[in-house]
Amino acid sequence: MLESLFFFVIAGITLLSALLAVVSHKIVYSSISVIITFFSVAGIFFLLNADFLGVSQIIIYSTGIAILILFAIMLTDQGKEMKLWFDLSLKTILSFVIASSFLFIVLISIFNVLKYFGYSSQSFNHVLPVASAAASIKTGGSAIVIGKQLLTVYLLPFEAVSILLLAAIVGCIAVAKKSKVKGDQA
Amino acid sequence: MTIIIKILSVSLVHYLVLAGLMFFIGLFGLLTSKNILKMLISLEIMLNSININFAAFANYTDLINLRGQVFSLFVMAVAAAEIALALGILIALYRNKPTVNILEHRELKD
């Protein structure tokens, strides 16, 4: 029951800060709220027995990407962009309709599947399916399983991701640096 | 009474509904905002909701192999590369035309 309480508190913080990040006037406020969202998503991961994923979330998202976003805010002038908040125009209403129809489809499909499998199905119960695996993950952590998977079954995607990260590093520097050629800058 | 206990006891459905709501918020922000940085922030919220889905399915249906968590790590790596590259492009774009308003960057259309 305590786990349920934790879930509802963390889910409330997540949704509230995500909503604040989307609707707040100033970009600094929304960046701070999105950092809170990243931390609470890490809390959701810890509730889901995904300790390695939660720690990676804190390292990658709530520090790395947060610092990148804050640096981008500092490097661009946000002073005169206050009026970029959305107003009650046709575009806003249309995008609300699109997003809420998407949400409607997702909820309908979730509850249809729930009805199809029945409420007593094991996947939709709060009891974990494999008790021994759950016990080993709760004591030993999920990093062992993830490491074995990454270096055996998913070795090719793992190497592809490393090449992708290298290309992203080089590409970032190549895109963002000032060009040395005179007259090239507009 | 039993339905209240059913709602209060957390299962897979709770995580799926939470991820759906987060995706809704991110999609709404991505469609409405005129600031490039806020669009990127909304994109990150959407990617996080997808990671919640992966982790929830890994916890409730595939606890032996944890394929969902592995895939979620790949999503995180791709998202980190994507946001770094997008912010680099934003800095380069800002050097050309000093504004973050998405509606003023329309040189390709004109």
Side-chain angles (χ1 to χ4, degrees):
Chain A
M1 215 58 214
L2 199 63
E3 195 187 332
S4 297
L5 182 70
F6 277 137
F7 170 77
F8 283 114
V9 170
I10 296 175
I13 293 172
T14 309
L15 288 178
L16 206 67
S17 55
L19 202 62
L20 268 179
V22 165
V23 302
S24 59
H25 281 268
K26 296 182 181 175
I27 189 71
V28 179
Y29 292 167
S30 62
S31 68
I32 298 298
S33 341
V34 90
I35 292 169
I36 298 171
T37 312
F38 290 156
F39 271 112
S40 46
V41 168
I44 294 280
F45 285 156
F46 289 132
L47 280 181
L48 283 169
N49 295 322
D51 46 345
F52 185 71
L53 207 56
V55 173
S56 324
Q57 167 89 12
I58 291 178
I59 292 172
I60 296 173
Y61 275 98
S62 10
T63 56
I65 290 182
I67 286 174
L68 271 181
I69 289 173
L70 287 176
F71 263 103
I73 290 171
M74 279 192 281
L75 286 176
T76 55
D77 181 23
Q78 304 281 341
K80 55 182 180 298
E81 313 287 349
M82 290 291 181
K83 59 180 185 303
L84 287 184
W85 199 62
F86 57 87
D87 46 357
L88 200 64
S89 62
L90 183 66
K91 184 191 168 196
T92 308
I93 296 169
L94 202 63
S95 47
F96 184 77
V97 167
I98 290 172
S100 56
S101 62
F102 180 82
L103 177 68
F104 183 70
I105 291 170
V106 167
L107 290 182
I108 286 289
S109 50
I110 287 173
F111 287 106
N112 264 341
V113 168
L114 184 69
K115 205 180 290 175
Y116 180 73
F117 280 116
Y119 289 93
S120 60
S121 171
Q122 226 168 15
S123 305
F124 297 98
N125 221 333
H126 63 282
V127 180
L128 289 171
V130 188
S132 60
S136 86
I137 279 181
K138 272 181 182 163
T139 54
S142 62
I144 303 169
V145 184
I146 290 178
K148 274 180 188 163
Q149 289 276 318
L150 272 183
L151 290 181
T152 54
V153 184
Y154 298 99
L155 187 59
L156 185 65
F158 185 64
E159 298 296 333
V161 160
S162 68
I163 293 175
L164 172 78
L165 283 177
L166 179 67
I169 294 168
V170 178
C172 274
I173 297 170
V175 163
K177 75 169 186 183
K178 281 198 173 98
S179 57
K180 291 276 173 57
V181 187
K182 271 192 176 176
D184 197 21
Q185 296 181 16
Chain B
M1 194 59 203
T2 54
I3 193 75
I4 295 175
I5 291 174
K6 207 71 182 172
I7 289 174
L8 282 182
S9 65
V10 172
S11 63
L12 176 59
V13 179
H14 289 75
Y15 291 101
L16 294 187
V17 171
L18 169 71
L21 281 171
M22 260 182 86
F23 198 90
F24 161 71
I25 293 171
L27 188 59
F28 178 67
L30 183 71
L31 288 175
T32 50
S33 63
K34 304 187 189 78
N35 195 332
I36 300 176
L37 277 165
K38 195 176 268 188
M39 290 177 76
L40 288 174
I41 285 172
S42 311
L43 208 63
E44 291 303 310
I45 292 174
M46 289 164 74
L47 286 167
N48 262 308
S49 74
I50 292 162
N51 278 346
I52 289 177
N53 260 350
F54 276 127
F57 275 111
N59 188 28
Y60 283 99
T61 64
D62 187 26
L63 206 52
I64 299 174
N65 285 325
L66 291 178
R67 297 192 196 93
Q69 293 190 19
V70 175
F71 208 88
S72 188
L73 278 178
F74 286 135
V75 171
M76 269 187 197
V78 173
E82 168 251 331
I83 193 82
L85 203 51
L87 291 176
I89 290 173
L90 170 64
I91 299 299
L93 206 62
Y94 191 82
R95 206 176 291 135
N96 268 336
K97 190 172 187 179
T99 175
V100 288
N101 192 346
I102 195 76
L103 297 176
E104 290 182 24
H105 287 292
R106 51 196 311 158
E107 283 81 15
L108 278 179
K109 190 183 172 191
D110 293 338

